[in-house]
C-alpha cells in the first residue's frame, strides 16, 4: 500500500472556556497549486453559556495583507459539526466584493481561492463547561 502525504490539517482549536469574547485568527497555511477543492469541518461543542461563535474560513490573494471570507459557520448554543467545501475553478457570475468577517451565516463563496488559508473566529458571550471548537481542513 502506497503512503501519500497528508492533505488535511487542523487549522484552529479553541477551548472556549478559557477564551473570552473576541476575535481569534489562526495561523495561515499554504494552498498548494492545482488544488481542486477545499473542504472544512467545524466541530462546535457547547458545555454551557455563550451567545454566538462565528467561524470564517478565509483566503488571501495579496500575501496575507487582506483576507476574504470563503466559508462561514454559525454556531450558538447547540453542539454540532458542519462541513462546507469550495472549488477554485468555479467562475463567479459577476465581480465580488470581498468581506472580512461578514459573510452571511452558513454560506460559501466559490471560485475565490488565493494562495493561503486561515480561520477567523468571532466569539460573543462567555462559554462555560467543556465548550470547544475545532476546525479541520482538507485540500485535494
Amino acid at each position: 500500500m502506497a503512503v501519500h502525504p497528508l492533505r488535511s490539517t487542523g487549522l484552529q482549536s479553541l477551548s472556549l472556556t478559557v477564551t473570552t469574547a473576541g476575535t481569534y485568527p489562526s495561523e495561515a497555511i499554504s494552498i498548494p497549486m492545482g488544488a481542486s477543492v477545499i473542504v472544512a469541518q467545524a466541530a462546535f461543542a457547547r458545555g454551557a453559556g455563550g451567545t454566538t461563535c462565528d467561524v470564517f474560513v478565509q483566503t488571501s490573494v495579496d500575501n496575507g495583507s487582506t483576507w476574504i471570507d470563503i466559508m462561514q459557520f454559525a454556531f450558538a448554543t447547540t453542539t454540532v459539526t458542519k462541513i462546507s467545501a469550495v472549488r477554485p475553478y468555479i467562475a463567479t457570475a459577476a465581480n465580488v466584493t470581498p468581506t472580512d468577517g461578514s459573510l452571511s451565516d452558513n454560506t460559501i463563496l466559490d471560485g475565490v481561492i488565493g494562495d493561503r488559508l486561515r480561520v477567523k473566529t468571532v466569539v460573543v458571550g462567555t462559554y462555560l463547561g467543556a465548550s470547544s471548537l475545532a476546525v479541520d481542513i482538507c485540500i485535494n
Side-chain angles (χ1 to χ4, degrees), residues 15-24 122-127:
S15 171
L16 297 175
T17 56
V18 296
T19 301
T20 58
T23 300
Y24 300 91
V122 180
V123 178
V124 176
T126 302
Y127 285 93

Side-chain angles (χ1 to χ4, degrees), residues 48-116:
T51 305
T52 61
C53 180
D54 290 309
V55 178
F56 301 90
V57 177
Q58 300 179 313
T59 192
S60 178
V61 297
D62 62 2
N63 297 315
S65 293
T66 56
W67 291 93
I68 304 162
D69 301 330
I70 58 172
M71 294 181 212
Q72 198 281 353
F73 300 96
F75 300 106
T77 57
T78 303
T79 295
V80 65
T81 297
K82 298 179 181 182
I83 296 175
S84 286
V86 292
R87 299 160 293 176
Y89 302 114
I90 301 296
T92 57
N95 292 333
V96 173
T97 301
T99 60
D100 179 359
S102 60
L103 189 65
S104 297
D105 286 358
N106 300 310
T107 60
I108 65 167
L109 175 61
D110 251 337
V112 180
I113 306 296
D115 68 345
R116 62 198 71 211

